[in-house]
Amino acid sequence: MPADPLHSAGTPQRSTTSQPPSGSGASAIEVRRSSRRRRTVSAYREGDRTVVLIPARMSEAEEQRWVRVMLDKLAAQESKRVLGDTELSERAQRLSAQYFEGRARPTSVRWVTNQNTRWGSCTPSEGSIRLSHRLQGMPEYVVDYVLLHELAHLLVPGHGPRFWRLLEAYPRTERAKGYLEGVVAADRLPHLPGVRGE
């Protein structure tokens, strides 16, 4: 792997990038080793990448274990954070700029509590997008997918080939669709009463 360009060639640090373990929300993981870092491990999201910072002396096995721990921690933090309508609107604008060259311009983006059979809806003539409150607490990549889905409807009505080509730009489309399909399937399972007194 090439050296981390942010550090001089003489500094004993290295950076590696890999694909994430299945089930994580990131499309790539970058591990940055630092000789200055003694014991602490930290991680943060940088676009579609997760950056994990570890001590340089850590073994490969420890690195793999800490990457899993930090991915789980980030996912837990993200699932607790609920975006307000203003943040949701700002997020939609960023996603439109990133994936649709800013062509999808919603006039409003907000959470609603009256959508229990759909994850989101869009009224292209008004430019309004509504997301179901049931998405709150789901991983950010899932919320982003639903936002992009509705943004794409501002550009292309219906679900024809042109519509799905727009969503191919988002690298987590299939993962997010699978997540949502899993939620729907789990809701349809029979809810058996728990066995008590064992």
Side-chain angles (χ1 to χ4, degrees):
M1 287 284 165
D4 185 350
L6 298 177
H7 301 98
S8 63
T11 307
Q13 299 184 350
R14 70 183 173 92
S15 174
T16 58
T17 303
S18 63
Q19 292 305 309
S22 60
S24 73
S27 61
I29 300 162
E30 181 178 341
V31 178
R32 295 180 187 166
R33 290 177 173 261
S34 170
S35 56
R36 292 183 190 164
R37 191 173 280 271
R38 297 285 176 225
R39 286 189 291 259
T40 60
V41 176
S42 62
Y44 59 92
R45 303 279 195 214
E46 193 174 76
D48 281 345
R49 175 183 304 273
T50 300
V51 178
V52 181
L53 308 169
I54 64 172
R57 60 180 174 72
M58 195 173 273
S59 72
E60 293 296 320
E62 288 176 306
E63 174 184 315
Q64 290 175 14
R65 183 177 72 82
W66 275 106
V67 165
R68 284 193 300 273
V69 166
M70 297 313 287
L71 286 173
D72 289 345
K73 273 188 161 184
L74 283 173
Q77 288 169 358
E78 289 168 354
S79 69
K80 289 177 188 168
R81 212 181 87 190
V82 175
L83 301 173
D85 287 349
T86 302
E87 292 170 302
L88 198 61
S89 185
E90 290 168 356
R91 191 178 201 94
Q93 289 172 12
R94 281 196 306 273
L95 289 167
S96 175
Q98 184 175 357
Y99 295 102
F100 302 147
E101 299 171 345
R103 291 179 295 131
R105 296 185 186 98
T107 56
S108 70
V109 183
R110 62 191 173 91
W111 295 109
V112 293
T113 56
N114 62 351
Q115 281 188 169
N116 294 314
T117 58
R118 292 188 289 182
W119 297 113
S121 62
C122 170
T123 307
S125 61
E126 297 173 4
S128 61
I129 291 174
R130 295 158 303 282
L131 295 194
S132 171
H133 72 287
R134 296 179 304 139
L135 289 164
Q136 294 174 338
M138 289 190 189
E140 288 186 1
Y141 75 94
V142 175
V143 176
D144 285 353
Y145 164 71
V146 177
L147 271 173
L148 279 164
H149 186 106
E150 301 310 330
L151 286 165
H153 279 308
L154 293 178
L155 303 173
V156 179
H159 293 98
R162 208 168 130 239
F163 173 85
W164 291 111
R165 272 196 301 276
L166 280 175
L167 286 177
E168 285 174 2
Y170 184 57
R172 299 184 207 165
T173 290
E174 290 307 314
R175 180 176 299 196
K177 284 168 65 177
Y179 185 100
L180 293 171
E181 287 168 6
V183 170
V184 170
D187 284 346
R188 290 181 180 153
L189 291 174
H191 297 285
L192 301 175
V195 179
R196 296 177 184 268
E198 287 188 1

